[in-house]
Amino acid sequence: MEKKSEGTPAIVLLVLIQGVLASGVVEVQPSINPAVVGDTVTLSLSPPTSLKSGSWAVGDSLILTWLGDQQAVFPSHSGRASVNVLTGALTLSSVTLVDSGVYVVQSNDPQLKANNSITVLEPISNVTVRADQTKLMEFNSSAVVACSVSSGSSPSFLWLNNSSEVTASERVQLTDGNSTLTVVNVTRYDQGPFRCCVFNPVSNSTSDSVNFTISYGPDNMALIVNGQNTTSFLIGSNLTMLCSVQSNPPAQLQWAFRGEPLNTTDHVCSQKIYASENPLPVGSNVTLFSQADVTTGAWMFDNDIIVIIFPGNIVIANTWMPISNVTLRANATNLVEFNDTAVLMCSVSNGSSLSYMWLKGSSVVTAGGGVQFSGGGATLTIARVTRYDEGPFRCNVSNGVSQEISLPVYLNISYGPSNTTMMIMPMKHTYRTGSNITLSCSAESNPPAMIQWTFGGVSLNLFGPQLHLQSVTESDSGKYKCQLYNTVTYRFSSASTMIRIMEPIAAAVVNHTGGPAILHEPFTLHCEVTGSVDYIQWWRNGQLISADNTTVFDMGNKTLTLNPVQYTDGGDYQCKAFNAVSNMTSSPYKVEVNYGPDMPTIMGPTVAKTGHSVTLNCSASSYPTSLFKWYFNDSLVANTSEYATPPLTTDMSGMYICMAYNHITGQNSSAYKILTVFDPIKDVQVETSMNPAIEGYSYMLKCNVTGPAKHIYWMKNGEPLHADNRTVFYMDNKTVSFNPLKRNDTGDYQCMAINPVENMTSPAYMLLVNYGPEKTTVTGSNVASVAEGALPTMRYRTQFSENQGYPETPIMFQPSFAQTGQHAVFNRCAMSMLPTSSAGDGPDMPTIKGPNVAKTGHSITLSCSASSYPTSLFKWYFNDSLVANTSEYATPPLTTDMSGMYICMAYNHITGQNSSAYKMLTVFDPIKDVQVETSMNPAIEGYSYMLKCNVTGPAEHVYWMKNGEPLHADNRTVFYMDNKTVSFNPLERNDTGDYQCMAINPVENVTSPAYMLLVNFGPDTPIIHGPSFAEMGHYAVFSCSAMSVPSSHFSWWFNGSLVSNTSVFTTGLLSLNMSGEYTCMAHNYVTRKNSTNSMMLTVIKAIESVMVKNNTVPINSENFTLICEVIGPYTSIHWMMNNMYMNTSTDNPLKSYYTENNKLHFTPVTLHSDGTYWCIATNQAGSHESPKYKLLVNYGPLNVSISGPDSAKVGLTVSLKCSANSRPDCDFHWFYNNQPSAVKYGSVITLSASKELEGNYTCKARNPVTNITMYKTKAFTLTGHASALPFSSQTGLIFMVLFALSFSELFH
């Protein structure tokens, strides 16, 4: 028989005997299953297969892998697992309970995957029973016995009373998995001994026995006179009366005569009885005797008198006659469970004073629970028999003299089907397509039930206990049901199971929709899986990804959203898809985090000279590399990161904006640099409008600059000129005032004009302070004359004139003595710097024009002029050497040894006089290079640090800048060594920046390239993200970060041991001993500093499973309880219904449910309670949800109705259908005209309209779960039928009898 489906057909075979089908697929076969703790188990492949490589795993945990003859065993199974590298057989030694599970072998050479499960059990040992009390009162007390074992897994419990199995009944309850036996309202027959037998598939053990002392009575009292039952005696007779009673402990007896108590204690005593043999075989003779002499007394057996002894006579009770021919008879032996009553009657041919004891098997039958005795115990009635009442029953009749047991009687009790079970081989949660599956259905039923199979509610038209599915496809998934029917009990039963068949996963691919991964924006990856998938894991760079506040899984983990994206999210992403039959990992998908641009950095000068070009470089941190644009005055000037200006003009000063644009992120960022363009300084001259310069008067010099100048400095004789109480600078240093002028102010004055692009020094201006004359001394022959070349050259006069304005008294040079015949010469020398001005004189003091400073390699021109008539002749001298015979002297290219005094001598060949002047020229080497350097590396926060301005060439001044701004001294920042060194003490992280130094000398200034000072610091105290609690068998992920330059190296430590060298640490599968302090250490290899922080992780026992269960059937308007069964410790339980939290507070009295510990009680459950329920068990590590539980409340039947015609013509076929609103569907029985036996089973009755079938049809609808029964009657009549044929009374009677005998056959 085939069940058609799309794709490969699944062939369904009906097999009535157990068989094995060879599937051609390699299977895993354990050497022992189940195994005992400590055993060695070998998992072999069948048929044997040669594997060159492969792996074994249990669940998701790898045990070992092998390649060729090399094998690697994972730590979890180190020392206990090994593989036969030729056959792939796995051997596990010293197995433990946790080794139970599904073992999977995989190989790629050849392609192979197979699995099987093994169960490891602990043997049962030390079975003990404990009774809460052993002394009990009949009918008032309950016996409770608990059975326990010291060790053993998956135990099953069986109770024995003596040698008979104890089964549950109205008085006998088995709870706690049958480990607790409770006998309610004990009777005297419940004394025991009771024993507990515990077993599992690998062992069994039985406890010691426990006995109960049950107090009962007094009851069944009897009074015998002279051993007879008669009460009439002759006057004068001697009477011996014996009273008997059943009681434990023995009852206290009191005699009374005519209501008055009698004192008989003196005449009553008890004797100790001895037996000649005890115990003894059945059929033996025994003598009972007392050591005391008894003259009056009685022998009794079970409170019945056997012999009466009185003086002179012994009387044997005439009721004590041997028993013979005990017969047991049942009123019926073919009975139906719960429907019929068994009546067993016991009789004897001979015997008196009979006592009856009923036996079922070897157990004594006691009254109660539907068992009744009547007829003095001779009749046993069992109401509503059960399958356990089959017997054999025997009747034991005794009277103290003899006993006899009847032959056994067996009852044939039809029952079931019940306890229907379905077994699936192989047992799996989900099956791979192509598998072969066998379903077996069984039930307790007598006679054996008929079994029919359905799929998806449709009959397969297949009968028998087994259903075979071959080469299944996904279309074979669904609900398989076996329906059982007992042809005697007319009862139905069924069992069903969901078979889930799944294709293995064919492909897993990671892709994404939308834009690329952009920093600080959401980004979603999708795992596209070809095939059914149960769950999905995500991995980055080989590390399992866990959800956190920026990593979100959705759509059953099919999507991974990074919100927002962080720098660290870049890497290779893979998704691993699992279903019940396979798993597959995608190829890596590379995620590049696009970011930026950050604020650009612009490199280039801030000042420039007109006519020059400058280059500005722009860079920005960005992925991918940004595109750049340059703007000036809102106009685009360049589309590159580097912008070279055209020759500059002053109107090109302003803001130059660099905009960086990332075409992926769509973001831009801008920075600017202010460029100031300066005209060059064309000329600098020292001038004055005040002449002459006379001592004692004020005097001013002015620095006349052609071109822009920001600063002006003054020098005298090549040295800086400083302000004092006479020397004052004003008009931005352009003017220097001397007030009053002193003769020592005489000298060569220069001014230096500086702007940001250059500096220029004026030629020397010779300030000659005129003063004197002072007191005159006249000498004779000592005539002072100024030789040619003297400096300065003056001519002195002997006359003195008041109106000349000479301030000093002349000094006279005159002889004190003179010889006759000789001349005497008088000279007056007035101390005055005013040159003579006689017409035709000359030359006056020359004037020299030209620079005071010059750069090596350059040439300068010095011009000399002097007031003279006729025009003077000129000569130039340097180092006493004649260098020129002209008024203008152009030097050759200068060298530093050409610094010195250049003398110009003017000579008037008419007057024969000469006059000289000089100019001091200083030749400077150019500043060839300026660099910021340091001999201290690295720069570390908290330590001192120095930067040095290394200048190649002469520099008179050094200035420092940071990030283009002047750097000023403070309490940490100190300049020394003429500003050539700057010291930071201590260094701070905010000292990071671009440093430049500017070197200045009188001929130029040069600024160094920027030196990037990167201050290394940290690590600061690390920040740890991770869980405080985690479950056994799970992973915990910790991440660590710390502020540090450069970035720190991270390591993780647990209990003093290094466990990881990465910033993100993922633990192995957690166990309780992995609780403790996890320490992250951040190490900066530059600062050589460590910083640590710790986090406490508490590993708690895992919630292994959460299931919703129930112990009773939900029936409308009855109380019902759902139990949240949690394996593992938990702190709280929440209940969900239809995706909503259930309000379990007690403040609403109208609610029909409440919670108690792990139970949800419905008081009562109603149709409104239908829905999908699940419970959430929470511990400190998180929440666990149970699978969904579909609650369908059973109800009804309600609204029973019969559809079909009320009447029909003779011969027409009529169908009546009975329906009822009910869950589950009702069992229907049809009755005709109130007859006691049903004429049809099922919802539809079909008949052929005839006179004999006319009447009332009653439908009985019974819900097999709620046990509620409802009836509905419909009258059926004939229309247009002929009148009844006349029958004689005798003929009619015969016909009715025949009709009654054959009525039921009319409906079949």
Side-chain angles (χ1 to χ4, degrees):
M1 191 69 190
E2 294 185 355
K3 184 173 75 68
K4 296 295 184 180
S5 63
E6 295 181 2
T8 305
I11 302 174
V12 182
L13 298 179
L14 176 62
V15 185
L16 298 178
I17 60 172
Q18 181 70 29
V20 177
L21 292 178
S23 63
V25 178
V26 174
E27 296 182 348
V28 175
Q29 292 187 344
S31 58
I32 310 171
N33 195 17
V36 178
V37 170
D39 281 352
T40 296
V41 180
T42 299
L43 300 173
S44 303
L45 302 184
S46 177
T49 305
S50 177
L51 303 179
K52 296 180 181 179
S53 64
S55 66
W56 276 97
V58 54
D60 294 329
S61 300
L62 276 173
I63 300 172
L64 55 77
T65 61
W66 79 93
L67 177 62
D69 58 355
Q70 301 295 317
Q71 57 179 292
V73 181
F74 283 73
S76 59
H77 288 76
S78 179
R80 295 199 306 115
S82 63
V83 67
N84 184 321
V85 297
L86 298 178
T87 65
L90 172 69
T91 300
L92 297 172
S93 60
S94 301
V95 293
T96 64
L97 294 176
V98 296
D99 289 325
S100 298
V102 178
Y103 285 75
V104 181
V105 61
Q106 293 189 82
S107 174
N108 292 324
D109 191 9
Q111 283 285 348
L112 168 72
K113 183 174 182 181
N115 64 72
N116 203 343
S117 61
I118 65 171
T119 303
V120 180
L121 299 174
E122 191 174 19
I124 304 295
S125 64
N126 194 20
V127 179
T128 58
V129 290
R130 180 178 55 83
D132 58 347
Q133 56 180 335
T134 56
K135 294 185 178 181
L136 307 173
M137 185 76 69
E138 186 178 40
F139 306 132
N140 289 338
S141 303
S142 294
V144 180
V145 190
C147 182
S148 62
V149 297
S150 61
S151 62
S153 49
S154 302
S156 296
F157 296 85
L158 176 69
W159 289 91
L160 299 174
N161 182 358
N162 206 339
S163 60
S164 300
E165 179 183 351
V166 178
T167 58
S169 65
E170 291 184 359
R171 286 197 312 112
V172 178
Q173 300 172 3
L174 297 174
T175 56
D176 299 329
N178 286 7
S179 65
T180 300
L181 167 65
T182 303
V183 182
V184 180
N185 297 331
V186 293
T187 70
R188 62 196 70 185
Y189 307 106
D190 296 326
Q191 297 181 82
F194 290 92
R195 288 176 297 155
C196 172
C197 179
V198 186
F199 57 92
N200 63 14
V202 298
S203 63
N204 65 78
S205 181
T206 303
S207 70
D208 292 336
S209 59
V210 62
N211 291 275
F212 294 100
T213 301
I214 300 176
S215 299
Y216 57 86
D219 54 21
N220 295 331
M221 294 186 67
L223 181 63
I224 299 176
V225 182
N226 288 350
Q228 302 175 14
N229 288 327
T230 182
T231 56
S232 299
F233 296 93
L234 295 174
I235 296 175
S237 299
N238 294 324
L239 300 181
T240 300
M241 290 174 282
L242 184 64
C243 182
S244 64
V245 65
Q246 293 183 357
S247 176
N248 184 37
Q252 298 293 323
L253 301 178
Q254 175 68 49
W255 290 88
F257 176 65
R258 293 181 177 175
E260 294 295 329
L262 298 177
N263 184 7
T264 59
T265 56
D266 294 339
H267 305 286
V268 178
C269 64
S270 61
Q271 302 292 330
K272 189 172 183 180
I273 299 173
Y274 299 90
S276 60
E277 186 179 358
N278 190 22
L280 67 160
V282 175
S284 302
N285 295 324
V286 66
T287 300
L288 302 176
F289 59 92
S290 171
Q291 291 181 343
D293 293 331
V294 178
T295 58
T296 302
W299 283 94
M300 302 180 67
F301 174 72
D302 279 349
N303 293 319
D304 291 330
I305 295 176
I306 303 172
V307 176
I308 298 176
I309 304 171
F310 51 90
N313 200 1
I314 295 177
V315 179
I316 298 177
N318 58 9
T319 59
W320 203 262
M321 299 182 64
I323 296 168
S324 63
N325 195 18
V326 176
T327 303
L328 180 58
R329 181 175 57 85
N331 66 333
T333 57
N334 292 319
L335 307 174
V336 176
E337 186 179 40
F338 305 134
N339 288 357
D340 296 333
T341 297
V343 179
L344 301 174
M345 293 163 287
C346 186
S347 61
V348 299
S349 297
N350 297 300
S352 57
S353 299
L354 303 177
S355 177
Y356 297 89
M357 181 174 68
W358 289 86
L359 299 174
K360 183 176 74 173
S362 59
S363 299
V364 176
V365 179
T366 58
V371 177
Q372 300 175 356
F373 297 107
S374 60
T379 300
L380 167 63
T381 301
I382 304 174
R384 292 174 56 84
V385 293
T386 70
R387 66 195 68 184
Y388 308 107
D389 296 328
E390 290 182 328
F393 289 93
R394 289 176 297 162
C395 173
N396 185 343
V397 185
S398 62
N399 61 5
V401 174
S402 64
Q403 71 168 7
E404 187 173 319
I405 300 177
S406 70
L407 294 174
V409 169
Y410 291 86
L411 301 180
N412 178 27
I413 298 177
S414 298
Y415 56 84
S418 61
N419 297 330
T420 304
T421 59
M422 183 183 293
M423 185 173 66
I424 308 170
M425 291 300 293
M427 179 67 73
K428 292 182 180 180
H429 180 264
T430 306
Y431 298 86
R432 183 189 287 251
T433 53
S435 300
N436 296 330
I437 307 171
T438 299
L439 286 73
S440 300
C441 194
S442 63
E444 295 179 11
S445 178
N446 183 35
M450 292 178 58
I451 301 177
Q452 182 179 11
W453 293 89
T454 65
F455 172 66
V458 178
S459 174
L460 295 175
N461 200 26
L462 295 174
F463 300 87
Q466 286 189 329
L467 180 67
H468 283 270
L469 306 176
Q470 285 188 321
S471 300
V472 293
T473 65
E474 284 188 322
S475 62
D476 295 320
S477 297
K479 184 176 182 179
Y480 287 82
K481 184 176 182 181
C482 62
Q483 293 180 323
L484 298 92
Y485 174 66
N486 188 316
T487 57
V488 175
T489 65
Y490 303 115
R491 294 188 180 120
F492 292 88
S493 179
S494 65
S496 62
T497 186
M498 288 297 297
I499 298 291
R500 186 182 181 205
I501 300 164
M502 187 175 292
E503 288 277 1
I505 295 172
V509 178
V510 175
N511 57 36
H512 87 283
T513 56
I518 297 176
L519 186 69
H520 304 317
E521 294 185 11
F523 178 73
T524 300
L525 292 174
H526 299 271
C527 185
E528 300 292 342
V529 181
T530 303
S532 299
V533 61
D534 291 337
Y535 67 97
I536 293 174
Q537 292 177 341
W538 286 87
W539 301 73
R540 178 175 60 235
N541 299 331
Q543 296 288 325
L544 183 66
I545 302 174
S546 300
D548 56 28
N549 55 347
T550 64
T551 306
V552 179
F553 299 109
D554 199 4
M555 295 177 63
N557 277 23
K558 284 188 177 180
T559 63
L560 164 64
T561 300
L562 306 172
N563 189 13
V565 171
Q566 304 177 73
Y567 286 108
T568 55
D569 288 331
D572 290 332
Y573 284 75
Q574 294 173 282
C575 67
K576 189 172 185 179
F578 297 81
N579 66 17
V581 298
S582 63
N583 66 76
M584 181 164 286
T585 303
S586 70
S587 298
Y589 181 92
K590 192 168 189 65
V591 173
E592 298 279 5
V593 176
N594 298 274
Y595 63 90
D598 295 344
M599 180 177 285
T601 300
I602 300 176
M603 301 294 292
T606 55
V607 294
K609 190 185 297 185
T610 55
H612 289 205
S613 291
V614 299
T615 300
L616 301 176
N617 282 290
C618 187
S619 61
S621 179
S622 171
Y623 185 86
T625 304
S626 292
L627 304 175
F628 295 92
K629 291 185 178 181
W630 284 94
Y631 294 88
F632 175 65
N633 286 346
D634 297 326
S635 297
L636 179 67
V637 294
N639 282 314
T640 59
S641 63
E642 184 174 277
Y643 170 51
T645 68
L648 294 167
T649 61
T650 54
D651 57 4
M652 295 171 72
S653 295
M655 181 184 294
Y656 286 79
I657 298 173
C658 169
M659 184 178 76
Y661 172 70
N662 187 322
H663 69 284
I664 299 296
T665 66
Q667 298 174 0
N668 62 66
S669 183
S670 299
Y672 67 89
K673 182 175 278 290
I674 300 294
L675 176 66
T676 305
V677 181
F678 291 89
D679 285 325
I681 300 173
K682 296 180 179 179
D683 187 39
V684 182
Q685 295 291 334
V686 176
E687 298 177 352
T688 183
S689 60
M690 303 174 68
N691 272 310
I694 301 175
E695 186 177 42
Y697 292 83
S698 64
Y699 196 80
M700 288 189 299
L701 293 177
K702 181 179 179 182
C703 185
N704 195 359
V705 181
T706 304
K710 283 204 168 184
H711 304 285
I712 293 178
Y713 300 96
W714 287 87
M715 292 174 287
K716 175 186 176 185
N717 298 328
E719 297 294 329
L721 179 65
H722 302 290
D724 56 25
N725 57 349
R726 293 188 310 105
T727 306
V728 179
F729 301 103
Y730 57 94
M731 291 182 65
D732 295 327
N733 274 21
K734 287 187 176 180
T735 301
V736 58
S737 171
F738 305 93
N739 191 13
L741 197 63
K742 289 189 177 182
R743 64 187 69 180
N744 58 8
D745 291 327
T746 295
D748 287 332
Y749 286 83
Q750 293 171 284
C751 65
M752 178 189 289
I754 299 175
N755 68 17
V757 295
E758 65 178 351
N759 64 69
M760 182 176 285
T761 304
S762 71
Y765 176 88
M766 178 61 188
L767 173 59
L768 184 65
V769 179
N770 297 279
Y771 62 90
E774 296 178 347
K775 181 179 179 179
T776 303
T777 302
V778 180
T779 62
S781 58
N782 298 329
V783 177
S785 63
V786 179
E788 184 183 30
L791 293 176
T793 302
M794 295 294 176
R795 188 159 51 88
Y796 297 91
R797 297 175 179 172
T798 58
Q799 68 266 28
F800 174 77
S801 174
E802 289 290 342
N803 58 11
Q804 292 282 320
Y806 297 120
E808 302 289 347
T809 301
I811 300 173
M812 297 298 292
F813 297 96
Q814 61 184 4
S816 302
F817 304 93
Q819 294 180 354
T820 59
Q822 296 182 344
H823 297 280
V825 180
F826 293 85
N827 286 327
R828 183 185 73 169
C829 179
M831 293 299 293
S832 171
M833 293 303 292
L834 287 174
T836 61
S837 58
S838 300
D841 293 56
D844 291 344
M845 179 182 286
T847 299
I848 301 175
K849 290 186 177 181
N852 291 40
V853 293
K855 191 185 298 186
T856 56
H858 289 204
S859 292
I860 63 168
T861 300
L862 300 175
S863 296
C864 186
S865 63
S867 180
S868 171
Y869 186 83
T871 302
S872 295
L873 303 174
F874 295 93
K875 292 184 178 180
W876 283 94
Y877 294 88
F878 175 65
N879 286 347
D880 297 329
S881 298
L882 179 66
V883 293
N885 286 313
T886 59
S887 63
E888 187 173 90
Y889 170 49
T891 68
L894 293 168
T895 62
T896 54
D897 54 7
M898 295 172 71
S899 295
M901 183 184 293
Y902 287 78
I903 300 172
C904 171
M905 185 178 74
Y907 171 69
N908 189 323
H909 69 286
I910 298 299
T911 65
Q913 297 177 1
N914 62 60
S915 180
S916 299
Y918 69 91
K919 179 176 279 289
M920 295 300 296
L921 175 66
T922 303
V923 180
F924 290 90
D925 284 325
I927 299 175
K928 297 180 180 178
D929 188 35
V930 181
Q931 295 290 335
V932 176
E933 298 177 351
T934 182
S935 59
M936 304 175 68
N937 271 312
I940 299 176
E941 184 179 45
Y943 293 84
S944 62
Y945 197 76
M946 288 191 296
L947 294 176
K948 181 180 179 182
C949 187
N950 196 357
V951 182
T952 304
E956 292 199 353
H957 303 284
V958 173
Y959 299 96
W960 287 87
M961 292 171 286
K962 175 187 176 185
N963 297 331
E965 298 294 330
L967 180 66
H968 302 290
D970 55 27
N971 59 344
R972 292 190 308 106
T973 308
V974 179
F975 303 102
Y976 55 95
M977 293 182 66
D978 296 328
N979 269 25
K980 287 187 177 180
T981 300
V982 59
S983 171
F984 305 92
N985 191 12
L987 198 62
E988 294 183 353
R989 62 187 68 178
N990 57 12
D991 291 326
T992 294
D994 289 329
Y995 287 80
Q996 293 172 285
C997 63
M998 177 190 290
I1000 300 175
N1001 67 17
V1003 294
E1004 65 179 346
N1005 67 70
V1006 177
T1007 302
S1008 71
Y1011 175 87
M1012 178 61 188
L1013 172 60
L1014 182 64
V1015 179
N1016 298 276
F1017 64 87
D1020 294 346
T1021 301
I1023 298 172
I1024 297 177
H1025 295 284
S1028 298
F1029 294 88
E1031 294 183 334
M1032 288 175 59
H1034 291 237
Y1035 299 93
V1037 179
F1038 298 94
S1039 63
C1040 186
S1041 61
M1043 290 290 293
S1044 173
V1045 171
S1047 297
S1048 291
H1049 172 78
F1050 295 94
S1051 58
W1052 285 90
W1053 302 77
F1054 175 62
N1055 287 346
S1057 297
L1058 178 67
V1059 293
S1060 178
N1061 280 315
T1062 59
S1063 61
V1064 177
F1065 167 52
T1066 302
T1067 68
L1069 290 175
L1070 293 169
S1071 58
L1072 291 177
N1073 60 5
M1074 294 171 74
S1075 294
E1077 186 177 59
Y1078 286 79
T1079 300
C1080 170
M1081 176 186 291
H1083 173 70
N1084 186 321
Y1085 68 92
V1086 175
T1087 66
R1088 298 185 183 278
K1089 291 181 179 179
N1090 297 329
S1091 183
T1092 61
N1093 197 4
S1094 297
M1095 185 170 190
M1096 290 299 298
L1097 173 67
T1098 302
V1099 180
I1100 60 177
K1101 288 186 177 180
I1103 295 178
E1104 298 177 15
S1105 69
V1106 183
M1107 295 291 293
V1108 176
K1109 293 187 175 181
N1110 64 295
N1111 291 332
T1112 58
V1113 177
I1115 297 176
N1116 188 39
S1117 300
E1118 294 186 8
N1119 291 344
F1120 179 70
T1121 298
L1122 288 178
I1123 302 171
C1124 184
E1125 184 179 86
V1126 183
I1127 299 177
Y1130 61 92
T1131 56
S1132 64
I1133 287 178
H1134 301 285
W1135 286 91
M1136 303 284 291
M1137 175 187 178
N1138 297 337
N1139 297 316
M1140 299 288 290
Y1141 277 97
M1142 298 185 70
N1143 179 11
T1144 56
S1145 64
T1146 58
D1147 55 358
N1148 185 358
L1150 300 178
K1151 286 190 311 182
S1152 62
Y1153 60 85
Y1154 68 94
T1155 58
E1156 175 193 20
N1157 298 326
N1158 65 329
K1159 298 177 181 178
L1160 175 63
H1161 298 289
F1162 296 87
T1163 54
V1165 70
T1166 67
L1167 297 183
H1168 299 294
S1169 306
D1170 279 359
T1172 301
Y1173 291 78
W1174 67 95
C1175 61
I1176 302 174
T1178 303
N1179 60 18
Q1180 294 154 308
S1183 299
H1184 296 258
E1185 290 188 4
S1186 70
K1188 303 296 189 293
Y1189 175 90
K1190 184 73 171 179
L1191 174 60
L1192 294 175
V1193 178
N1194 298 281
Y1195 63 90
L1198 306 174
N1199 305 322
V1200 178
S1201 62
I1202 298 176
S1203 60
D1206 297 328
S1207 60
K1209 293 182 178 181
V1210 174
L1212 292 180
T1213 300
V1214 176
S1215 292
L1216 302 179
K1217 183 176 181 180
C1218 187
S1219 60
N1221 185 6
S1222 172
R1223 183 189 293 153
D1225 293 339
C1226 286
D1227 295 332
F1228 296 98
H1229 299 72
W1230 288 92
F1231 297 87
Y1232 174 70
N1233 285 343
N1234 296 322
Q1235 291 185 12
S1237 299
V1239 297
K1240 184 72 170 69
Y1241 298 98
S1243 60
V1244 177
I1245 183 171
T1246 301
L1247 53 98
S1248 179
S1250 62
K1251 179 61 177 176
E1252 57 269 22
L1253 298 182
E1254 189 177 36
N1256 292 325
Y1257 288 84
T1258 300
C1259 171
K1260 172 186 174 184
R1262 178 179 176 273
N1263 187 319
V1265 175
T1266 66
N1267 286 323
I1268 297 175
T1269 301
M1270 292 187 69
Y1271 297 88
K1272 184 70 173 180
T1273 300
K1274 185 181 186 73
F1276 176 72
T1277 60
L1278 293 177
T1279 59
H1281 61 279
S1283 59
L1285 296 176
F1287 289 100
S1288 66
S1289 60
Q1290 184 176 4
T1291 304
L1293 179 60
I1294 295 173
F1295 176 80
M1296 291 303 295
V1297 171
L1298 292 175
F1299 175 72
L1301 291 175
S1302 60
F1303 180 85
S1304 62
E1305 296 301 322
L1306 296 176
F1307 297 96
H1308 298 281

